[in-house]
């Protein structure tokens, strides 16, 4: 092995007692130290000079600074800058600043080896998500809805060649929406990326990072869309609940909530998106997390229903998403109803409301309202779910006339409804509105949503996805920068552990900003606003000393 150049462990920032208490509270609340210590301690050998708790707290202290770098040398500098009392509190004994980095590096590698050893319930994802969850107090975890989105994380391993020449051999390339438009020609011929081997998953390995894979990322303001080599970070961010809706043009959302990360998953780029985050959402719900609604983009809803939609529905988690072209239109249905855009409508639905175009991308507010007007009219013809899914996923439905959504003179019983219920004409010869309550099987309702797609109410609900976009923006420049070089470790285990501390620190920052915005104390209770006093008027200003100019007479 090559000898590593000496690293400077000095220059770390001093840690205040308040920050130390916060970091210790997160690590202790996560409850990971009692589970990891027996697995890392040995019966023979020299005693460890840096405890497991001390390492985790130091990593958390490093992440709590804005625009930090998730480097082990920065963690060593944090430890060197601690006072003697602070080091004793963390179980750091016989401290030698010249050896701090080597000890931190050795202990961190041993921690990752334990997480990779396959102990039941102990892995990198468990550790990182426990830290992220511990950073959110219960009084700020008030919503049962999450917005899910993914962002790219490049590997620290060097790519020998140009990224445009890598092969997208992952499963996500089949369901990922590629950007339209022509790709600009490179100024010089591209160098073919060197393939270092083939991983156990059958995909090509382009860097010394054995877990990094090739994937596609969308365009931003600073770079164009195209392939890259690394990982994809999937984030589940708390967002507002739908408190009530009429399913047509009104949706009342709950009060504003802090956009904290409640669950995340780091996977190699190009991994099937359903396999990347769906199982984690279901596991989080089973563990007690209040997850009832997921809002995400077509990158997830494009997956096969058996890998995403049906699994979430079986777990009691609803989805809000935007159907794409092949998911829209009329689909075959066994009962006396029309299955359009994943929603059941009455078979008496007028022909002009059956095939409706969606507003184009980038449409203005006025243009969206024009398109939504017809969707709102069609939503009145929707069928109402009469009973929740049974053990097999079958649901029961009632027609809009029996549900009280519509009235018609052809059906006298519906005329008893209030005059606020729309009155619609029905062709002569139609004596009944439906054949009674019908049953729909799970396979037929894969793309069903509580709020009918295309309506104004659906757009208001779908707007909650912007919370995840805000987190991505914060992690790519506002709070820190997850670009290449942010982490100088390789492997999905080591990077997941480092991201756990970063996301826990981001949650702290987000809660702090939320409390300041809404004038809340540390327990989420409103504080008294300070009495505002009128500013004292200044004297002796230019307005007082300059004589006004006389206007000459006409």
């Amino acid at each position: 092995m090559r000898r590593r150049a000496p690293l400077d462990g000095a220059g770390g920032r001093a840690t205040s007692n308040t920050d130390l208490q916060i970091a210790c509270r997160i690590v202790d609340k996560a409850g990971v130290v009692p589970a990891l210590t027996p697995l890392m301690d040995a019966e023979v050998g020299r005693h460890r000079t840096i405890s497991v708790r001390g390492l985790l707290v130091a990593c958390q202290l490093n992440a709590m600074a804005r625009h930090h770098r998730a480097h082990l040398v920065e963690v060593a500098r944090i430890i060197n800058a601690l006072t003697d009392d602070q080091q004793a509190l963390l179980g750091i004994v016989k401290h030698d600043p010249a050896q701090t980095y080597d000890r931190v590096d050795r202990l961190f590698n041993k921690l990752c080896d334990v997480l990779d050893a396959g102990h039941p319930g102990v892995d990198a994802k468990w550790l990182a998500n426990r830290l992220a969850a511990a950073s959110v107090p219960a009084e700020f975890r008030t919503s049962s809805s999450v917005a899910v989105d993914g962002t790219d994380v490049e590997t620290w391993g060097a790519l020998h060649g140009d990224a445009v020449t890598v092969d997208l051999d992952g499963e996500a390339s089949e369901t990922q929406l590629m950007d339209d438009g022509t790709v600009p020609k490179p100024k010089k011929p591209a160098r073919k990326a060197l393939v270092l081997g083939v991983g156990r998953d059958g995909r090509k390995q382009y860097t010394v990072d054995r877990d990094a894979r090739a994937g596609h990322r969308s365009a931003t303001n600073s770079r164009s869309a195209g392939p890259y080599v690394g990982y994809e970070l999937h984030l589940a961010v708390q967002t507002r609940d739908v408190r009530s809706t009429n399913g047509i043009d009104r949706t009342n959302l709950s009060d504003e909530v802090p956009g904290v990360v409640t669950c995340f998953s780091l996977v190699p780029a190009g991994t099937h998106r359903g396999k990347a985050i769906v199982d984690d959402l279901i596991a989080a719900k089973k563990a007690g997390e209040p997850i009832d609604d997921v809002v995400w983009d077509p990158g997830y809803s494009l997956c096969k229903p058996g890998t995403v939609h049906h699994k979430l529905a079986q777990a009691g988690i609803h989805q809000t998403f935007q159907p794409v072209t092949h998911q829209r239109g009329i689909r075959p249905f066994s009962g006396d109803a029309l299955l359009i855009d994943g929603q059941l409508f009455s078979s008496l639905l007028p022909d002009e409301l059956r095939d409706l175009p969606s507003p184009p991308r980038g449409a203005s507010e006025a243009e969206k309202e024009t398109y939504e007007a017809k969707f709102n009219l069609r939503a009145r013809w929707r069928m109402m779910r009469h009973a929740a899914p049974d053990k097999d996923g079958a649901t029961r439905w009632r027609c809009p006339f029996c549900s009280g959504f519509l009235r018609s003179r052809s059906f006298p019983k519906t005329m008893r409804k209030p005059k606020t219920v729309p009155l619609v004409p029905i062709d002569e010869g139609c004596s009944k509105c439906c054949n009674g309550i019908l049953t729909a099987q799970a396979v037929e309702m894969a793309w069903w949503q509580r709020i009918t797609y295309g309506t104004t109410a659906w757009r208001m609900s779908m707007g909650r996805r912007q919370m995840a976009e805000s987190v991505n923006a914060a992690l790519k420049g506002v709070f820190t920068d997850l670009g290449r070089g942010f982490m100088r470790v390789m492997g999905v285990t080591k990077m997941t552990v480092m991201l756990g501390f970063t996301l826990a620190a981001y949650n702290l920052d987000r809660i702090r900003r939320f409390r300041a915005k809404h004038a809340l104390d540390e327990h989420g209770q409103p504080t008294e606003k300070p009495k505002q006093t009128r500013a004292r008027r200044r004297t002796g200003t230019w307005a007082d000393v300059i004589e006004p100019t006389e206007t000459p007479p006409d």
Side-chain angles (χ1 to χ4, degrees), residues 15-25 61 64 86 512:
T15 300
S16 64
N17 292 330
T18 301
D19 290 343
L20 182 61
Q21 292 175 2
I22 294 174
C24 291
R25 185 173 67 244
L61 287 171
M64 288 168 58
Q86 292 174 339
R512 187 184 305 115

Side-chain angles (χ1 to χ4, degrees), residues 69-138:
R69 291 286 184 176
H71 299 168
L72 292 179
V73 67
E74 298 293 341
V75 178
R77 288 168 181 161
I78 290 291
I79 295 178
N80 288 338
L82 296 175
T83 64
D84 295 339
D85 293 339
Q86 292 174 339
Q87 292 176 0
L89 180 64
L90 299 180
I92 301 176
V93 296
K94 298 181 180 180
H95 177 63
D96 185 359
Q99 299 182 11
T100 303
Y101 176 77
D102 293 331
R103 292 173 177 175
V104 167
D105 181 59
R106 188 183 308 114
L107 184 57
F108 181 80
N109 287 324
K110 187 172 184 179
L111 170 64
C112 295
D113 291 339
V114 168
L115 297 176
D116 282 334
H119 298 286
V122 178
D123 57 9
K125 188 177 293 185
W126 163 80
L127 171 62
N129 279 281
R130 291 292 293 268
L131 291 170
S135 62
V136 183

